[in-house]
Amino acid sequence: MSVQERKERERAGRERLIVATARELAEQQGWDAVTTRRLAERIEYSQPVLYSHFRGKREIIGAVALEGAAEMAAALRAATSAADGPRTRVTALARAYLDFAERNPAVYDAMFQLDGGLAFAHEDTPEALKDAFAALLENLGEVAGDGVHPALFTETFWAALHGLTTLTRARRLPPEDTDRRVELLVDRLAMV
């Protein structure tokens, strides 16, 4: 291994450490607790080293969001891979989405609530975000209905899931009715 390869590997390792530490701190104490000073202390590197990887908190949030998008896409695909038939797949997809958001609230916030400097629904949207949307589209496109553009239907269904997530987290909706809401969403919106 060349010196350059070793340095690149070490740099990538530091970046993973910064992102993992930011994510852990955010999940434990919220995103307000994530500062470059605290991160530098926790990872035992100076702030200039941290800034050599990320220009600031916004880029760190973006990195957490990209990691979360990849994890969510994998979770959605895993949940739907064993499901038999469109209704079962859409129900599994909805539950997996809501479960992911509940288990990873800070990551979910990085993905959809906070400014991580990421472009959504543009040509320069990062691949991890495109893939997370594709994981939704793969299962929802088939139930969009005649004359309905599959991507538009997927966006609408996703918006409903996001609304359920944020309203439940904000205690505007009682969590004990989540399964009933998923069934209603699948029955009425996806009509499968």
Side-chain angles (χ1 to χ4, degrees), residues 4-70:
Q4 182 64 28
E5 289 171 329
R6 182 182 52 78
K7 285 182 179 184
E8 288 174 11
R9 189 180 74 222
E10 289 172 355
R11 180 172 177 76
R14 276 192 309 271
E15 281 190 16
R16 284 191 303 276
L17 178 62
I18 293 166
V19 171
T21 304
R23 181 176 175 165
E24 179 183 315
L25 187 57
E27 292 291 2
Q28 291 171 352
Q29 299 176 30
W31 279 104
D32 287 343
V34 179
T35 64
T36 54
R37 174 174 281 153
R38 288 184 85 185
L39 284 175
E41 289 171 2
R42 283 205 175 193
I43 65 171
E44 298 179 347
Y45 283 101
S46 68
Q47 281 184 288
V49 169
L50 194 140
Y51 282 116
S52 74
H53 291 275
F54 299 98
R55 285 183 284 199
K57 184 175 176 177
R58 181 179 187 219
E59 283 190 4
I60 295 168
I61 290 170
V64 169
L66 293 175
E67 187 176 272

Side-chain angles (χ1 to χ4, degrees), residues 129-185:
L129 298 179
K130 289 179 182 178
D131 189 50
F133 184 77
L136 292 166
L137 181 61
E138 290 162 9
N139 293 286
L140 294 170
E142 70 179 314
V143 298
D146 294 337
V148 178
H149 193 280
L152 183 62
F153 179 79
T154 300
E155 290 170 349
T156 303
F157 198 91
W158 171 31
L161 291 174
H162 179 70
L164 289 175
T165 297
T166 56
L167 290 170
T168 302
R169 282 180 59 194
R171 302 191 198 297
R172 303 295 194 272
L173 297 175
E176 61 271 11
D177 292 330
T178 297
D179 286 340
R180 290 177 43 211
R181 284 188 201 94
V182 167
E183 294 299 319
L184 184 61
L185 183 63

Side-chain angles (χ1 to χ4, degrees), residues 75-163:
L76 297 177
R77 288 186 175 110
T80 58
S81 66
D84 185 32
R87 186 180 201 298
T88 307
R89 270 192 300 281
V90 172
T91 300
L93 175 87
R95 287 189 175 133
Y97 183 97
L98 296 172
D99 288 346
F100 178 86
E102 183 179 351
R103 283 191 324 274
N104 304 284
V107 173
Y108 190 84
D109 286 348
M111 292 167 64
F112 301 120
Q113 304 285 83
L114 302 173
D115 179 10
L118 303 174
F120 282 82
H122 290 94
E123 287 183 24
D124 60 341
T125 297
E127 286 304 314
L129 298 179
K130 289 179 182 178
D131 189 50
F133 184 77
L136 292 166
L137 181 61
E138 290 162 9
N139 293 286
L140 294 170
E142 70 179 314
V143 298
D146 294 337
V148 178
H149 193 280
L152 183 62
F153 179 79
T154 300
E155 290 170 349
T156 303
F157 198 91
W158 171 31
L161 291 174
H162 179 70

